Amino acid sequence: MQDRVLGWGLILGLAAFAGSPEVAHAGDEAGLAFFESKIRPVLVRECYACHAEGAKSIKGGLRVDSRRALIEGGDSGPAIVPGQVDEGSMLAAIRHEGPEMPPKTKLSTAVVEDFRRWIEMGAPDPRESGTVEAKRPGINLEAGRQFWAYRPPEDRPSPSVRDEAWPLGDVDRFVLAKLEAAGLPPASEACPETLIRRLTFDLAGLPPTPEEVAEFAADDRPGAYERAVDRLLASPRFGERWGRHWLDVARFGESQTLRGLVMKEAWRYRDFVIDAFNRDMPFDQFLREQVAGDLIGGNTLADRRRGRVATTFLALGNTNLEEQDKGQLRMDVVDEQIDVIGKAVLGQTIACARCHDHKFDPIPTKDYYAIAGILRNTKTLEHANVSKWLERPLPETPDVEAKLARHEAALASLESRIKSSKAALAASGKGSVKGVVAAGSLPGIVLDDIGAKKVGNWSGSTHSGTYIGAGYLHDDNAGKGAKSVTFQPELPAAGEYEVRLAYAPGGSRAGRVPVTILNVEGETIVHVDMRATPAVDGRFSSLGRFRFEKGNQAYVLVSNEGTTGHVTVDAVAFLPAGLKPESSGPDPDSAALDALEAELKRLRAEGPRREMAMAVVEESEIADTRVHVRGNVHTLGDPAPRGFLQVASAGEPPGFSASESGRRELADWLASGENPLTARVYVNRAWQWLFGAGLVPTPDNFGTTGEPPSHPELLDHLAIEFMHDGWSTKALVRRLVLSKAYRLSSAVSDAATAIDPENRLLGRANRRRLEAECLRDAMLAASGSLDPVMGGPGFGADLAADYGFKGEGERRSVYVPVFRNALPELFELFDFADPSMVVGRRETSTVAPQALFLLNHPFVLEQSERTARRLLNGPEADDLGRLDRGFKLTLGRRPTDEERVILLRFLGESGGDRLRAWSIVIQGLFGSLDFRDLD
């Protein structure tokens, strides 16, 4: 490290960095998993009937049952051009821009985005031929159990080695035996400054302070390194660092991509994870609580609260809540839960068996639906036009519960009176009710725009502040004649209905918007002036009275054809003739309603609040499920009794209660010492988090398509010791970092380059790029700005959508909101984990925008200036002392002689603006390899 020179190019421009080539690790494994979970089920469900081998006729000459067929295309040319989303006919067809596929219903926006993303990543697809393939013999489970990952871990004696003085324990013996067999000597031990920096980042996620470095380097007493390890393991920073690792695996996010809907209670799960690592909760208990914490309960109120919060793990998926086939949505959620449990806990791609027996691993479709039967008995969403995740109250003491009950009764009474007043005002047309209302609070049958069929590109908005549901749509005053929104009601009875259209008025709106109502008399077109405030309640314009038959086709279609100005669409209401709104008082009165709402606002602000958590609950009806033929929820096959992966199970399967989902049993099986996968997968993750690469390089895939372990005996030894230690993460980490293998230098010898270029034999340390969070936190630590406050939400309670969110503050990065539509730029550029997927191993890219960020971003400039100011105001008497201090704050070491000469010359020639000169120096250090990398 000491021989790296900090040059002028780094200080002034980082030009070499900007010109570095991109290192792409897209990974066939992740792409194929994406295809299996997101693309294949849609193709099977929506396309195979007309576009696959075995169809009565191949429509348009296009088959979609193989990658080759999609690329060759049909009558309209190639369906896809891998990597080029603007080429090929498929994406336009499923957007209903031209030929409409599927012809009867448009795929949801989320599904269309999945296809766009799949094509962009190169359309990974394992299907080499059509759907009719040579029949594969049935899965042989006994043969499958001979694969290394499905055999129980075997604790063999540690191997003998020639150099008996080198190993410090069994871990080192396993490593050294492989090195000696290959004729490769291990590297020397890292210097103290390098080692304490590596250890502190690995265990705390922060740089060591200059004082900690100096103390460690000067401590020549026996046990100095062990004391440093124990100090870091006891620090609350350990839970923040290792908790963030697990959040990658748990696909933690705090919003849905759909309209940026914010999951306001997800932060409680983050805090649960951090606390669990700090308390060294046994990992088997940690797993059980995430899968079935609400069923396991506990002896104390704290146990019961924690158990409910832990099950947020199952609810974090990025789900298409707009899906109108709720049976399909229910199974999509189950599939996502199976995928995360399979990869995160078992290292298995179980979700690949949704439509057929697993192509590579011994996982039959029946095993998939055996697990699906458990999770299908678990309620994750409250279904509506736009479904919603569940929020459940946290248990409270009896006194607090009584106080909350009184407050909630008062709120319920006020809300009932307000609802009645609003209904009366809406029916009378008096007054104008501002703000946001739920569709269900209005009289009649109200259809929100979020569930309507949209043709063309409509933009969502909440700008007006007065709308129904989650917002309203507008046409961007573009694409005239090519955009429409269609509402299709399910009317409970035949009869006459008043039809009302809600829209957002304004001076820039269109003055003559055509609205078509299909009723028993045929189509009626009404033109609406959207410049005018709607006459009914300031929200709705009456389109007239029409007769509809029950079950017959009916719709209201809003088009932008022939319009000038913005067309907006919010909701449509159908009011049965003679509907009498609820009223418990005199004539409707806007002033009285305002008073009621003011009182409600006051009570909500001043009264006690019940603490809520994202959670799951048991379904009211418990039952096994059936195999879904080709993954189709509407085509059911053989029964699939609840159970687990047969290939990873020993003994008789457990019995399942008729009154519970089976999550309790699933949690016990996942966390069992009899399960050959769970402990192996976790100790491999811990190894990767400390060494930079796992013993199994594919941490989320221990199946036959994953890579085999480099040291299988060591992996088994660690798994067994981990379980013997009570599934203690801290004991595991301590064992690994106390090994000599962990303490090695990253220096690469000629022999290592020739024999083991990828360092699979572990003869040296892996040089690693710091994660995005560590980069941000290290800058804050250097400037003295890092806020150590732990826990709690990272955004205001009134935030409804994540679009445009700009986080402020100086807390650790683990507390920065993980919004799926609004990640901080630093996170995006420096390879933050995709919060919608299980990420056991982050990608590491090197691209020019990273250099531009370090050169120009206000955050970097501000922290550089603050650090410079800290040095100028410090106790150091001269620039030489300040330079030493600045290097220690940022790089954890002193400058080399050559670096001192270059930087002192620069400071001496920089003129009178000392703060600016020092800010440039610090910015150069922040941009250096020694800052960004962990040696």
Side-chain angles (χ1 to χ4, degrees), residues 39 186 298 489 613 867 875:
I39 305 303
T867 308

Side-chain angles (χ1 to χ4, degrees), residues 282-577:
F283 185 71
D284 56 346
Q285 180 187 348
F286 182 62
L287 288 181
R288 285 188 175 96
E289 292 194 0
Q290 290 176 86
V291 175
D294 57 321
L295 303 178
I296 295 171
N299 297 324
T300 68
L301 178 65
D303 290 341
R304 294 191 295 275
R305 288 170 64 92
R306 189 184 65 242
R308 179 158 290 177
V309 170
T311 64
T312 304
F313 170 75
L314 295 174
L316 286 170
N318 193 13
T319 307
N320 176 23
L321 303 175
E322 285 186 328
E323 172 64 64
Q324 294 304 296
D325 184 340
K326 299 306 177 182
Q328 179 67 45
L329 176 56
R330 184 179 182 187
M331 281 306 298
D332 286 347
V333 169
V334 167
D335 181 74
E336 199 275 341
Q337 292 169 336
I338 289 175
D339 189 56
V340 69
I341 289 172
K343 291 176 180 175
V345 183
L346 302 171
Q348 298 292 296
T349 55
I350 304 172
C352 293
R354 180 178 185 177
C355 302
H356 48 71
D357 287 350
H358 201 293
K359 295 291 186 183
F360 308 106
D361 296 334
I363 304 174
T365 303
K366 271 199 172 182
D367 281 10
Y368 174 94
Y369 286 99
I371 299 173
I374 296 171
L375 297 169
R376 197 171 180 274
N377 287 327
T378 303
K379 186 174 183 179
T380 307
L381 299 177
E382 193 71 58
H383 291 307
N385 183 33
V386 180
S387 298
K388 183 75 164 62
W389 57 88
L390 299 181
E391 291 183 355
R392 306 292 295 171
L394 290 173
E396 299 285 2
T397 63
D399 289 346
V400 172
E401 189 63 45
K403 185 178 181 181
L404 287 166
R406 289 192 297 270
H407 177 66
E408 288 166 356
L411 291 177
S413 176
L414 267 177
E415 287 167 348
S416 177
R417 293 169 64 189
I418 289 169
K419 181 179 178 180
S420 297
S421 297
K422 284 184 176 180
L425 276 169
S428 69
K430 295 181 179 179
S432 177
V433 182
K434 300 292 185 182
V436 182
V437 297
S441 69
L442 297 172
I445 299 152
V446 181
L447 307 181
D448 192 14
D449 64 275
I450 203 167
K453 178 182 177 182
K454 306 165 190 71
V455 175
N457 294 320
W458 292 81
S459 298
S461 180
T462 58
H463 179 71
S464 73
T466 297
Y467 50 84
I468 293 159
Y472 58 91
L473 303 173
H474 66 82
D475 72 341
D476 291 306
N477 196 19
K480 297 300 185 180
K483 300 183 181 183
S484 64
V485 180
T486 303
F487 298 84
Q488 294 178 290
E490 292 184 9
L491 300 175
E496 189 177 57
Y497 290 80
E498 181 185 357
V499 181
R500 296 175 174 178
L501 172 69
Y503 60 89
S508 64
R509 305 302 191 235
R512 189 172 167 78
V513 178
V515 182
T516 304
I517 304 100
L518 179 64
N519 56 89
V520 294
E521 303 295 333
E523 288 187 340
T524 303
I525 298 178
V526 177
H527 289 89
V528 177
D529 183 357
M530 292 190 172
R531 296 169 300 183
T533 300
V536 181
D537 195 24
R539 297 180 187 275
F540 287 96
S541 177
S542 178
L543 303 177
R545 289 174 176 255
F546 305 90
R547 185 166 184 81
F548 300 94
E549 295 293 341
K550 181 180 179 182
N552 285 1
Q553 188 177 15
Y555 62 72
V556 174
L557 184 151
V558 184
S559 171
N560 72 346
E561 185 173 2
T563 60
T564 301
H566 288 80
V567 174
T568 65
V569 186
D570 190 358
V572 168
F574 294 78
L575 280 75

Side-chain angles (χ1 to χ4, degrees), residues 19 86 412 617 740 914 933:
D86 296 327
V617 296
K740 184 168 284 189
R914 301 276 291 160
D933 285 5

Side-chain angles (χ1 to χ4, degrees), residues 1-141:
M1 175 184 289
Q2 293 288 332
D3 61 352
R4 294 193 189 91
V5 177
L6 185 69
W8 284 106
L10 183 150
I11 299 172
L12 300 177
L14 306 170
F17 182 102
S20 298
E22 180 172 359
V23 179
H25 301 286
D28 290 340
E29 177 192 348
L32 293 177
F34 186 85
F35 173 83
E36 293 290 357
S37 63
K38 300 291 187 181
I39 305 303
R40 188 197 290 263
V42 179
L43 292 175
V44 171
R45 183 174 72 244
E46 303 288 353
C47 309
Y48 273 25
C50 300
H51 298 282
E53 188 171 338
K56 291 181 180 179
S57 64
I58 302 297
K59 300 293 179 65
L62 172 65
R63 284 178 51 178
V64 301
D65 52 353
S66 74
R67 187 174 190 269
R68 180 177 178 180
L70 283 165
I71 293 172
E72 290 179 351
D75 297 345
S76 301
I80 63 170
V81 178
Q84 300 182 42
V85 295
D86 296 327
E87 304 293 333
S89 60
M90 172 176 274
L91 206 56
I94 64 176
R95 285 171 171 163
H96 282 203
E97 298 172 352
E100 297 182 353
M101 292 293 157
K104 294 182 179 179
T105 58
K106 184 181 178 183
L107 298 177
S108 70
T109 303
V111 171
V112 172
E113 173 59 20
D114 287 339
F115 272 84
R116 188 205 64 75
R117 182 177 174 188
W118 173 64
I119 294 169
E120 185 178 55
M121 66 173 64
D125 183 346
R127 303 170 303 163
E128 296 301 327
S129 60
T131 57
V132 179
E133 302 170 353
K135 186 170 179 61
R136 180 186 178 192
I139 289 175
N140 186 327
L141 290 172

